[in-house]
Amino acid sequence: VLYFHFSGHGVRLDEKTHGIVPLDGLLDDLENTIINNHEFRELVKKIYSKKRFTLFVVLDSCHSGGGNFIFFFGSLILLN
């Protein structure tokens, strides 16, 4: 089991781009210093494609719905 948990700040840059703000995220340069939902989605897809473990993700932040995926009984469902 791979467990990823993020509790912290989340931001919404525009209607389609949300992100989590890491410790070294810069408020005056959020676009380049957050982990946005598009990047996170691609990372999760790469990890999940290995299928050697169960991946469990918890996002506890504002705008965490921007993660754009749901895990359901071992299957990864990506939302548009």
Side-chain angles (χ1 to χ4, degrees), residues 7-40:
S7 289
H9 294 292
V11 295
R12 179 178 175 184
L13 297 180
D14 58 46
E15 284 190 27
K16 294 187 178 185
T17 306
H18 308 265
I20 55 177
V21 183
L23 182 62
D24 59 351
L26 302 173
L27 292 178
D28 59 346
D29 192 20
L30 287 174
E31 193 168 320
N32 294 309
T33 60
I34 65 169
I35 301 168
N36 72 47
N37 55 312
H38 310 293
E39 296 166 331
F40 193 73

Side-chain angles (χ1 to χ4, degrees), residues 15-76:
E15 284 190 27
K16 294 187 178 185
T17 306
H18 308 265
I20 55 177
V21 183
L23 182 62
D24 59 351
L26 302 173
L27 292 178
D28 59 346
D29 192 20
L30 287 174
E31 193 168 320
N32 294 309
T33 60
I34 65 169
I35 301 168
N36 72 47
N37 55 312
H38 310 293
E39 296 166 331
F40 193 73
R41 177 184 171 130
E42 290 306 311
L43 176 64
V44 168
K45 283 170 57 176
K46 285 180 188 176
I47 292 170
Y48 194 76
S49 70
K50 304 296 181 193
K51 296 197 179 208
R52 295 188 180 135
F53 48 79
T54 300
L55 177 60
F56 189 77
V57 177
V58 175
L59 299 176
D60 175 23
S61 62
C62 292
H63 308 292
S64 60
N68 291 329
F69 53 85
I70 296 173
F71 293 95
F72 182 72
F73 295 107
S75 298
L76 176 63

